[in-house]
Amino acid sequence: MAITAFVQTLFNGLAIGGSYSLIAVGFCLVYSIMKFTNFAHGSMISAAAFVSYWVCNRFNLGLLGSLFAAIAAGALIGSITEFLAFRRIEKKSASNFYFFVSSLTWGTFVEQLVNNGVGIRALAFPKFYPSLSLKITVFGTKYTIMTNYLYMFVSAVIVLGLLFVFLYKTKYGRAIRATSFDRDTANLMGINVAMTIQIVFILAGIMAGVGGVFLGVKNKIYAQLGSDVVTKGFISSVLGGLGSVYGAVIGAFVLGVVEQFLVYFVGSNMARVVIFVLMLVFLLIRPQGISGVMVKDKA
Amino acid sequence: MSRLELKHVYLSFGGVKAVQDFSMQAEEGQIIGIIGPNGAGKTTIFNVISGIYTADSGQIFLDGEEITQLAQHRIALKGISRTFQNIRLFHGLNCLENVQTTLDASSKYNLLDAILMTPRRRKEEKRTRQRALSELEWVGLGEYVLENPENLSYGLQRKLEIARALAADPKVLLLDEPAAGLNPKEVQELMKLILRIRDERGITILLIEHRLELVMTVSERIYVQDFGETIAIGTPAEVQNNPEVIKAYLGEEE
C-alpha cells in the first residue's frame, strides 16, 4: 500500500468515523441516562436531515445555514421524541420491554413521515462546495481528499469539543453525568432529573442533525438514511465500551478507519461483511469494549 | 419552636410497621442519636424526613413549617441534607464536582448561558467551585480535589459525602451510620468532624449509628428504636442503663 493511499484512506476513515461518533455519542448519552437502547435514534437522523433539506431549499441556504437548520430540527425532534415516546413510560418505571417497543414504534412512525415527505426518489442537497475534491500538498506529496469529508471531519471535531465542554464545564453537564450514574441520589441533591433527561435527548438530536446533513450530502436523503448508519453508531458505542462517552468517540473513529481500510483491501461489498464479523469476534473477546466499562441493563 | 420536630409519624410497608408513632424534637446545634438493632426502622425515619417516603400519618416540621408532604428535592432545598448508609457518591465525577452538584441547584445561570458560555456561567461556576473547594478543605479533603471518589479510602469517602451534604448549608444534617466500615482511627476523626459541624456551624445533627462508642460520646439525647417503636429516650447514660434497651440489644434472658 503506497503512502499516498494509506494517508488518504486513513483520512477518509477519520472523516467517516467523525460522522459515526456524532451518532454514537448521542446514542450513548441516551443509553447512559435511560439505561435502554433507543431504536428511534436513526429516525432522528433522517428527520433532521430532511427538515434541514427542506429549509435549505426554501431559503436557499448554504452548508452553514443547513447545519444550523439541522441543529434546530434535531433539538426539536429530540425533545419531542423524549416527551411523546418515553416520558410516560419513564414515569411509570415500566419494564425495559416497553421502551423497546415504544422506541421501535416511534422510530418507524417518524421514518414513515420522512418517507412520505421525501417521495419515491431520494433527495439531494444542493451543491454546497465549489469542487467535490481538494488537492492538498504535504511534504511534497499530493493528496486528493473529498471536500465533504473534510467538512464532515472538522464539524465532528468541533461539535464533540463543544459537547465535552458542556459535559465537563457546566452544571447541566454535571447533572447529566451524575444522573447517569445514580438517578435517585441526583434527585436528592436537588438535580432536576426530568429536565436533565430532556436535555440529553436534545443533545442527541443536535448531534444526529449535524451527522445527518453530512451523511445526506454523502448518500442523499431518504427515509432509511438514519437506520442504515445507526447500526454503525451502536457498534461504535459498544466497541468503545457501552455507557462511556469517551469510549463511543474512540470506538467510532476506530470503526471508521478499519472500515475504510477494509474497503481499500477487500472492496466495499466484502468490507460490509468483514466489519460485522470483526465486530462479533470483538464482542466475544472483549464485551466490555475498549474503555472497559461494562454496563448492566435495567432489569 | 424546635428546629426539627416529628409528631406521631407512622409508616408501614404492607404488613410491616416500619415506623410506629415516632415523635421527636431537635433544637439548633443539638446532636441526637438514633440507635437500635437492624430492622428497627432507623433508616426509614431518615427516609421519611428527607421525603423519599411520605408518612402514612403524622407531621414533620422544620422551624415550625410543615414539610411532611414536600418532594425530596424541595426538602433538600429547605435545609435538610443527608448521607447514606451505603455511600452514594457519583462515580465518574471528581470530588470537587461531587460537592458542586449540591450547589448547582442554586447556581444562577440557564441553559442558554451554558451553551453560549456567557460570563454569567463563568462567574457562577467560579462561585460554586470556590465554595466546593472550601467545603472540601473544611472536612480535610483539600489534597483530593481532583481525585475520583471511587479511588478514595472508605473514611475519605465518608468525609466527601459529608462535605457534599454541608455544601447545601443545611439546618439539619442526617448522618446514616457514618462510622460503618471505618477503622478506630477514622472513627476518632469522624467524631471530631461531627463535633466541629455542631460547634462551628450550629447545624442540628441526627445520627444513626451502631458504633456505640461514637454515638454515646457525641449525642445529647438518644432515641432507641426496636421493631419500629421507640423503646427508650434519654441521655446516653440513661439509655445505657435502661433494662428495655439492654433486652433489645442482648436478647431476653432465658
Side-chain angles (χ1 to χ4, degrees):
Chain A
M1 189 174 193
I3 183 77
T4 324
F6 176 82
V7 172
Q8 276 175 198
T9 309
L10 182 66
F11 176 76
N12 289 348
L14 291 174
I16 304 251
S19 69
Y20 292 166
S21 73
L22 294 177
I23 297 160
V25 168
F27 170 74
C28 166
L29 283 174
V30 170
Y31 179 85
S32 300
I33 206 157
M34 303 292 277
K35 307 286 183 278
F36 79 88
T37 305
N38 178 17
F39 290 101
H41 200 89
S43 73
M44 302 205 298
I45 301 169
S46 310
F50 176 70
V51 174
S52 166
Y53 164 84
W54 188 84
V55 175
C56 160
N57 265 354
R58 180 85 173 68
F59 300 100
N60 267 324
L61 301 176
L63 177 64
L64 201 62
S66 303
L67 278 175
F68 277 111
I71 287 171
L76 190 67
I77 294 162
S79 78
I80 294 173
T81 299
E82 188 270 332
F83 186 73
L84 289 182
F86 303 123
R87 185 167 298 183
R88 278 189 64 81
I89 301 179
E90 185 60 36
K91 267 200 183 141
K92 290 181 178 163
S93 21
S95 122
N96 236 10
F97 185 72
Y98 292 96
F99 284 108
F100 170 72
V101 173
S102 180
S103 72
L104 270 184
T105 312
W106 174 258
T108 315
F109 164 73
V110 172
E111 215 172 85
Q112 200 52 53
L113 278 184
V114 175
N115 200 35
N116 293 2
V118 169
I120 315 162
R121 289 173 55 201
L123 305 167
F125 274 109
K127 216 174 139 198
F128 286 137
Y129 316 112
S131 107
L132 277 180
S133 62
L134 296 169
K135 293 206 186 337
I136 297 175
T137 312
V138 185
F139 297 124
T141 319
K142 262 192 187 167
Y143 300 104
T144 311
I145 56 172
M146 305 280 284
T147 317
N148 188 42
Y149 280 15
L150 180 63
Y151 281 94
M152 184 150 90
F153 178 70
V154 171
S155 308
V157 170
I158 292 173
V159 170
L160 290 175
L162 291 175
L163 176 79
F164 275 90
V165 172
F166 185 83
L167 283 178
Y168 285 86
K169 297 284 174 199
T170 75
K171 61 174 174 180
Y172 298 101
R174 270 194 298 280
I176 290 171
R177 288 155 58 215
T179 309
S180 297
F181 180 74
D182 181 348
R183 185 180 293 190
D184 292 337
T185 309
N187 191 9
L188 215 54
M189 294 302 131
I191 291 171
N192 185 338
V193 171
M195 185 182 79
T196 304
I197 292 175
Q198 174 79 190
I199 290 174
V200 163
F201 272 87
I202 290 172
L203 290 177
I206 288 173
M207 284 182 283
V210 174
V213 169
F214 287 108
L215 291 166
V217 173
K218 179 172 171 267
N219 303 338
K220 297 202 172 169
I221 299 163
Y222 53 100
Q224 290 78 28
L225 170 72
S227 39
D228 283 353
V229 288
V230 85
T231 321
K232 304 287 174 57
F234 290 169
I235 293 177
S236 303
S237 61
V238 175
L239 197 62
L242 199 49
S244 155
V245 178
Y246 284 113
V249 174
I250 295 166
F253 282 108
V254 168
L255 183 67
V257 170
V258 170
E259 198 181 51
Q260 285 306 302
F261 276 95
L262 281 176
V263 169
Y264 182 87
F265 285 115
V266 300
S268 63
N269 279 335
M270 268 314 279
R272 272 181 221 141
V273 178
V274 177
I275 194 85
F276 287 106
V277 172
L278 284 180
M279 188 58 216
L280 285 173
V281 171
F282 182 85
L283 272 181
L284 290 175
I285 299 171
R286 198 173 160 81
Q288 70 272 39
I290 296 168
S291 74
V293 191
M294 188 79 155
V295 186
K296 284 215 170 64
D297 217 319
K298 218 186 233 177
Chain B
M1 187 174 67
S2 300
R3 172 117 287 181
L4 181 71
E5 184 168 11
L6 279 78
K7 284 184 182 168
H8 309 291
V9 170
Y10 285 82
L11 181 67
S12 303
F13 300 108
V16 182
K17 291 167 180 163
V19 181
Q20 289 188 71
D21 197 14
F22 185 73
S23 296
M24 69 156 286
Q25 283 150 16
E27 308 304 325
E28 188 178 333
Q30 262 189 340
I31 300 178
I32 306 287
I34 301 176
I35 63 171
N38 285 326
K42 305 184 298 294
T43 298
T44 311
I45 293 171
F46 274 16
N47 286 341
V48 171
I49 297 173
S50 55
I52 294 176
Y53 303 140
T54 306
D56 293 337
S57 64
Q59 290 169 298
I60 305 168
F61 299 90
L62 180 69
D63 283 337
E65 185 190 348
E66 183 164 3
I67 57 164
T68 322
Q69 305 288 337
L70 292 185
Q72 43 179 298
H73 68 275
R74 306 273 315 156
I75 293 175
L77 291 175
K78 289 271 178 203
I80 299 182
S81 294
R82 69 174 292 181
T83 67
F84 301 90
Q85 197 173 338
N86 39 353
I87 298 173
R88 284 164 70 172
L89 292 161
F90 299 118
H91 293 192
L93 274 69
N94 62 35
C95 292
L96 186 73
E97 292 173 319
N98 264 282
V99 179
Q100 258 181 305
T101 55
T102 309
L103 297 158
D104 285 338
S106 67
S107 190
K108 291 177 193 62
Y109 70 93
N110 57 37
L111 196 54
L112 209 61
D113 290 312
I115 292 166
L116 301 175
M117 291 288 148
T118 62
R120 186 146 54 144
R121 179 209 67 96
R122 203 188 164 83
K123 202 181 114 224
E124 286 293 292
E125 279 292 308
K126 198 177 160 194
R127 181 180 68 81
T128 57
R129 201 185 144 84
Q130 291 297 343
R131 177 65 201 280
L133 270 175
S134 72
E135 288 298 350
L136 285 172
E137 272 158 21
W138 200 82
V139 300
L141 284 175
E143 51 186 308
Y144 301 103
V145 171
L146 298 179
E147 193 64 62
N148 275 13
E150 58 267 33
N151 302 331
L152 297 181
S153 74
Y154 224 58
L156 295 178
Q157 290 192 30
R158 291 282 180 199
K159 283 186 177 174
L160 177 56
E161 233 192 359
I162 292 174
R164 183 174 69 176
L166 287 174
D169 252 338
K171 295 171 179 167
V172 177
L173 179 61
L174 313 177
L175 299 175
D176 194 349
E177 292 195 34
L182 301 195
N183 65 40
K185 188 171 156 275
E186 289 172 327
V187 173
Q188 285 303 316
E189 279 183 39
L190 177 70
M191 194 182 294
K192 278 186 214 149
L193 180 59
I194 291 174
L195 292 172
R196 269 179 69 216
I197 294 170
R198 178 192 65 186
D199 298 338
E200 292 179 27
R201 306 176 65 146
I203 294 170
T204 302
I205 298 171
L206 264 57
L207 174 67
I208 293 177
E209 192 47 72
H210 279 300
R211 303 282 276 265
L212 293 180
E213 77 267 28
L214 171 64
V215 75
M216 292 298 172
T217 314
V218 300
S219 305
E220 204 167 309
R221 195 164 67 250
I222 291 175
Y223 289 73
V224 188
Q225 297 296 114
D226 193 21
F227 291 111
E229 288 181 79
T230 309
I231 57 170
I233 305 171
T235 64
E238 286 166 2
V239 162
Q240 268 169 313
N241 297 318
N242 185 313
E244 283 278 325
V245 177
I246 295 166
K247 199 168 78 185
Y249 263 86
L250 302 177
E252 211 132 0
E253 276 179 57
E254 295 293 315

